[in-house]
Amino acid sequence: MKRTKIVDALKSVDFNHDILVKGWVRSHRNSKAVDFIALNDGSTINNIQIVVDPTSMDAEALRSITTGACIGVTGTLVQSQGAGQSVEIQSKAIEIYGLCPSDYPMQKKGQSFEYMRKYAHLRLRTNTFGAVFRIRHNMAIAIHQYFHEHGYYYFHTPLITASDAEGAGEMFQVTTLDLSRTGKTGEVPYEKDFFGKKTSLTVSGQLEGELGATALGGIYTFGPTFRAENSNTPRHLAEFWMIEPEVAFLDKDELMDLEEDFIKFCVRWALEHCKDDLEFLNKMIDKNLLEMLQSVIKEDFVRLTYTEGIEILQAAVKNGKKFEFPVTEWGMDLSSEHERYLVEEHFKRPVIMTDYPSEIKAFYMKKNADGKTMQGTDVLFPRIGEIIGGSVREESYEKLVAEIKARGMAPESYSWYLDTRKYGSCPHAGFGLGFERLILFVTGMQNIRDVIPRSEER
Ligand code: 4AD
Ligand code: MG
């Protein structure tokens, strides 16, 4: 018999026929004359109830089906007598695929996330992580849907590169050399390395994205990026996924419109496509989740310059607001508590912050006429802080070369990139959305390590 997914069985009204379901046991209890097994196969947050007549099978085999075991059940789909579910299966035969010994780390309900992080390889079998990863999938689909519908091309940028896209020196090196065996001078002979030069994992696909945008008009990347930043926070990963649209002929206002429209589309998609999972997370993880998601799609984002933001923060400090990181003066970099104050306490809405001091941002951002600020457009979100980093790009060859030199970077490493400005340069803009930060926001989870399957994260 062909397997029926539990999501379909639960919706079925085709009663009194036999079906076959397969999955992992969430619980098994015995109540007088019958056994109840709650079975889940990952197709939905909801379990299907299996009703077993204990006389129908070997008593020891039935007892061995504990939480975590994997089984297949053939039985009759019937309308449920009990409260809490509309259909159930009256078991006729159970096949045991894998028993689950009593040291199964996911056995108990309500374990802390910290505990589950130690068993990240098994936590996918819990309700919460099932919900998170179904939502993660749906958000990936939303992203492709949005850009495809709006005429952007999905553009695959390289993961190994010799150019530091952010110029921040936070790259993981890729080499085939044995670095413990350098030459006599102590210098590493990179000319003998695989690519004949020093290479690393990419921190961003943007620079190659700009090659696409300045030829195809509008592209987006969606892939892994790597950062050797020493930020051990609940919002930073060493390996994360980024979505980076890059668009020719887009100005700053249009860029902000795109950021806002795109992120609202994703949140609306989650509300429409992940109803059961979001209701579960709203009940178990964050009682405010659904209300928060609704409010983000309803309200216009505040558009605020960095300078205005600093003034609001300074006024707050004057009125007694205490921050862990002091609000010093114009030119300081904002930390996530400052961003969250503006969003959560002051405006109570997402904020698009613009016109940052050039010095605290990347080399490729277009400067304003004042020579001090630039056309950046970061989106700041409740609970997250910065969720999107974006800007208009400097399109002048001379200005870009000057900026690269002024920052002590090597123009030779960017010669291919600079050619986009040398030959038929065009105004353009783009942004990067941290995928895991979006998932954090949509699921109500608190720690970015809890929205990835498993990793070597510290
Ligand atoms: O602000 P960032 O560094 O911008 C860029 O990389 C640009 N090249 C993007 C562009 O304009 N095309 O990173 C963009 C976003 C951040 O706003 C944040 O959401 C996420 O990527 N991000 C991280 N997410 C998880 N862990 C990290 N270590 C992250 N660093 C950045
Ligand atoms: Mg940023």
Side-chain angles (χ1 to χ4, degrees), residues 155 208-219 245-249 426 428-429:
F155 195 65
E208 287 89 357
E210 289 183 52
L211 305 179
T214 57
L216 300 165
I219 61 91
E246 194 67 36
V247 198
F249 316 116
C426 84
H428 61 287

Side-chain angles (χ1 to χ4, degrees), residues 302-348:
V302 175
R303 299 185 180 190
L304 183 79
T305 66
Y306 166 89
T307 303
E308 291 163 335
I310 288 285
E311 283 164 8
I312 293 169
L313 291 168
Q314 284 169 336
V317 170
K318 245 192 211 144
N319 289 327
K321 173 77 193 167
K322 296 262 184 296
F323 290 109
E324 189 187 335
F325 297 96
V327 176
T328 50
E329 56 189 8
W330 193 95
M332 66 175 277
D333 206 351
L334 299 185
S335 62
S336 107
E337 60 168 338
H338 303 136
E339 295 166 343
R340 291 181 61 178
Y341 171 79
L342 292 170
V343 172
E344 292 169 12
E345 294 180 49
H346 190 82
F347 290 109
K348 300 188 167 57

Side-chain angles (χ1 to χ4, degrees), residues 23-52:
W24 294 268
V25 173
R26 286 286 203 260
S27 69
H28 177 178
R29 65 194 166 87
N30 173 270
S31 161
K32 288 182 207 135
V34 277
D35 279 43
F36 294 104
I37 294 173
L39 197 67
N40 190 284
D41 66 0
S43 61
T44 159
I45 185 83
N46 300 308
N47 304 327
I48 197 157
Q49 174 157 282
I50 313 291
V51 185
V52 192

Side-chain angles (χ1 to χ4, degrees), residues 367-378:
K367 281 194 183 147
N368 286 314
D370 65 9
K372 271 171 37 188
T373 60
M374 58 68 180
Q375 299 186 21
T377 59
D378 286 5

Side-chain angles (χ1 to χ4, degrees), residues 171-243:
M171 305 180 81
F172 285 103
Q173 195 176 338
V174 174
T175 182
T176 51
L177 296 176
D178 178 352
L179 295 182
S180 65
R181 293 177 58 197
T182 52
K184 280 201 187 80
T185 58
E187 300 228 330
V188 181
Y190 283 116
E191 67 284 356
K192 291 195 191 135
D193 205 348
F194 189 86
F195 296 101
K197 56 188 165 189
K198 189 174 178 186
T199 54
S200 305
L201 294 174
T202 190
V203 293
S204 154
Q206 179 194 320
L207 304 192
E208 287 89 357
E210 289 183 52
L211 305 179
T214 57
L216 300 165
I219 61 91
Y220 69 104
T221 73
F222 185 1
T225 47
F226 307 87
R227 291 197 187 176
E229 346 179 42
N230 229 342
S231 319
N232 198 359
T233 80
R235 319 251 174 279
H236 287 87
L237 289 168
E239 174 177 347
F240 63 100
W241 284 57
M242 200 165 18
I243 295 94

Side-chain angles (χ1 to χ4, degrees), residues 27-302:
S27 69
H28 177 178
R29 65 194 166 87
N30 173 270
S31 161
K32 288 182 207 135
V34 277
D35 279 43
F36 294 104
I37 294 173
L39 197 67
N40 190 284
D41 66 0
S43 61
T44 159
I45 185 83
N46 300 308
N47 304 327
I48 197 157
Q49 174 157 282
I50 313 291
V51 185
V52 192
D53 172 358
T55 62
S56 71
M57 69 185 283
D58 176 66
E60 201 171 319
L62 180 58
R63 220 176 313 118
S64 75
I65 301 174
T66 53
T67 299
C70 184
I71 59 173
V73 180
T74 308
T76 317
L77 189 75
V78 296
Q79 262 174 310
S80 177
Q81 316 294 316
Q85 65 275 322
S86 53
V87 305
E88 61 192 22
I89 293 174
Q90 272 166 0
S91 165
K92 287 186 173 163
I94 297 183
E95 186 177 353
I96 297 171
Y97 301 122
L99 291 177
C100 190
S102 61
D103 62 350
Y104 176 47
M106 297 294 128
Q107 186 146 160
K108 280 212 199 86
K109 277 190 177 169
Q111 298 278 18
S112 73
F113 289 127
E114 206 175 347
Y115 168 86
M116 286 199 272
R117 239 166 268 146
K118 285 195 231 147
Y119 303 97
H121 54 292
L122 290 172
R123 66 186 179 177
L124 296 168
R125 305 240 190 114
T126 64
N127 289 333
T128 299
F129 286 89
V132 166
F133 284 91
R134 279 185 295 274
I135 292 172
R136 191 177 162 125
H137 158 78
N138 275 288
M139 297 324 288
I141 300 297
I143 285 156
H144 287 301
Q145 180 76 17
Y146 181 87
F147 287 117
H148 179 66
E149 256 177 25
H150 288 79
Y152 294 75
Y153 301 109
Y154 181 24
F155 195 65
H156 299 98
T157 51
L159 297 187
I160 299 177
T161 172
S163 319
D164 182 348
E166 292 299 298
E170 291 169 339
M171 305 180 81
F172 285 103
Q173 195 176 338
V174 174
T175 182
T176 51
L177 296 176
D178 178 352
L179 295 182
S180 65
R181 293 177 58 197
T182 52
K184 280 201 187 80
T185 58
E187 300 228 330
V188 181
Y190 283 116
E191 67 284 356
K192 291 195 191 135
D193 205 348
F194 189 86
F195 296 101
K197 56 188 165 189
K198 189 174 178 186
T199 54
S200 305
L201 294 174
T202 190
V203 293
S204 154
Q206 179 194 320
L207 304 192
E208 287 89 357
E210 289 183 52
L211 305 179
T214 57
L216 300 165
I219 61 91
Y220 69 104
T221 73
F222 185 1
T225 47
F226 307 87
R227 291 197 187 176
E229 346 179 42
N230 229 342
S231 319
N232 198 359
T233 80
R235 319 251 174 279
H236 287 87
L237 289 168
E239 174 177 347
F240 63 100
W241 284 57
M242 200 165 18
I243 295 94
E244 297 187 277
E246 194 67 36
V247 198
F249 316 116
L250 207 67
D251 67 19
K252 190 175 86 180
D253 288 326
E254 292 166 328
L255 176 63
M256 289 192 278
D257 291 344
L258 176 65
E259 290 172 346
E260 183 167 344
D261 189 50
F262 165 63
I263 209 159
K264 284 180 169 170
F265 177 91
C266 292
V267 174
R268 214 177 296 121
W269 185 279
L271 286 165
E272 282 166 16
H273 294 81
C274 310
K275 229 165 157 286
D276 289 356
D277 287 322
L278 286 177
E279 274 165 15
F280 173 82
L281 294 169
N282 192 70
K283 199 163 79 192
M284 306 302 288
I285 303 295
D286 179 353
K287 302 258 182 295
N288 243 336
L289 179 62
L290 287 171
E291 204 181 301
M292 170 83 89
L293 299 181
Q294 293 288 0
S295 85
V296 160
I297 56 176
K298 258 202 315 267
E299 304 202 72
D300 289 342
F301 295 3
V302 175

